Amino acid sequence: MSVFQEIAPEDFVVSPFKLIGKDWMLIAAEKEGRVNAMTASWGGLGVMWGKNVAFAVIRPQRFTKEFVDASGHFSLNFFPPEHHSKLEYFGAVSGRDEDKVAKTGLHVHDEQAAPYFSEADKVLVCRKLFAQPYQSENFIDTKSNTTHYPNKDYHTLYIGEVVRILGRA
């Protein structure tokens, strides 16, 4: 298991395009004492309402959405390349069917009600600030709507205040 150190937001110098879009992340949350997570590659980092924030999107059919909706916090977990196959597994199997965390052998830690994984090399602990489902009529680029939502299963956008950034020591 790794040891984490806290990283100040201004010292968290990474490319969100690589970190989220190429390396992927696990979005994790807890509900009624159970942890679930899902692989994601859509999201971002920035500043909103005077706060450092992360945003992620989750489709309605994803089991992890129930966990994020039920909790006031979630975490975004970023892993070194040797864990890529585990992230693929999290993206291919539903937590409704089995305990993905146990199956992959990842170790869960809890931070301010947001579970995270000791195998990650970067973790953003987020306090939920905002959630809103995408709506068809709000798409200016209608091609994105038709390409990414042929079944009209629109993501919910979650914005979370980054309350803590952890990195491997």
Side-chain angles (χ1 to χ4, degrees):
M1 293 216 248
S2 65
V3 176
F4 287 97
Q5 65 183 14
E6 189 153 355
I7 301 170
E10 59 273 9
D11 295 330
F12 189 64
V13 181
V14 297
S15 166
F17 304 104
K18 181 179 181 318
L19 191 67
I20 297 168
K22 301 292 184 201
D23 296 342
W24 305 348
M25 61 185 167
L26 285 184
I27 301 171
E30 185 174 337
K31 175 184 171 189
E32 300 171 354
R34 184 173 172 202
V35 173
N36 198 52
M38 62 173 265
T39 306
S41 62
W42 289 5
L45 306 172
V47 178
M48 190 72 166
W49 307 304
K51 300 175 187 299
N52 296 318
V53 299
F55 69 89
V57 293
I58 304 175
R59 287 193 192 265
Q61 61 267 41
R62 297 299 298 260
F63 190 49
T64 302
K65 184 178 185 312
E66 295 177 25
F67 287 69
V68 172
D69 286 342
S71 179
H73 292 77
F74 61 89
S75 67
L76 304 180
N77 299 262
F78 304 94
F79 292 81
E82 62 266 23
H83 292 289
H84 187 84
S85 63
K86 291 178 182 176
L87 273 65
E88 287 178 341
Y89 182 80
F90 270 88
V93 174
S94 174
R96 285 185 186 92
D97 301 326
E98 62 183 63
D99 184 345
K100 297 187 288 187
V101 175
K103 181 85 174 197
T104 59
L106 294 180
H107 298 90
V108 177
H109 290 279
D110 195 275
E111 172 67 31
Q112 297 182 17
Y116 65 92
F117 301 101
S118 64
E119 291 80 6
D121 58 5
K122 298 170 194 68
V123 176
L124 302 179
V125 178
C126 301
R127 181 176 66 85
K128 217 168 45 175
L129 297 175
F130 180 87
Q132 181 175 14
Y134 287 177
Q135 298 175 347
S136 177
E137 61 270 16
N138 293 336
F139 280 87
I140 296 165
D141 176 7
T142 57
K143 185 176 180 187
S144 291
N145 185 11
T146 56
T147 301
H148 296 290
Y149 302 101
N151 299 321
K152 305 299 182 206
D153 58 340
Y154 294 105
H155 286 92
T156 294
L157 167 68
Y158 295 91
I159 300 175
E161 177 183 9
V162 178
V163 295
R164 198 154 185 223
I165 301 173
L166 302 171
R168 272 199 211 184

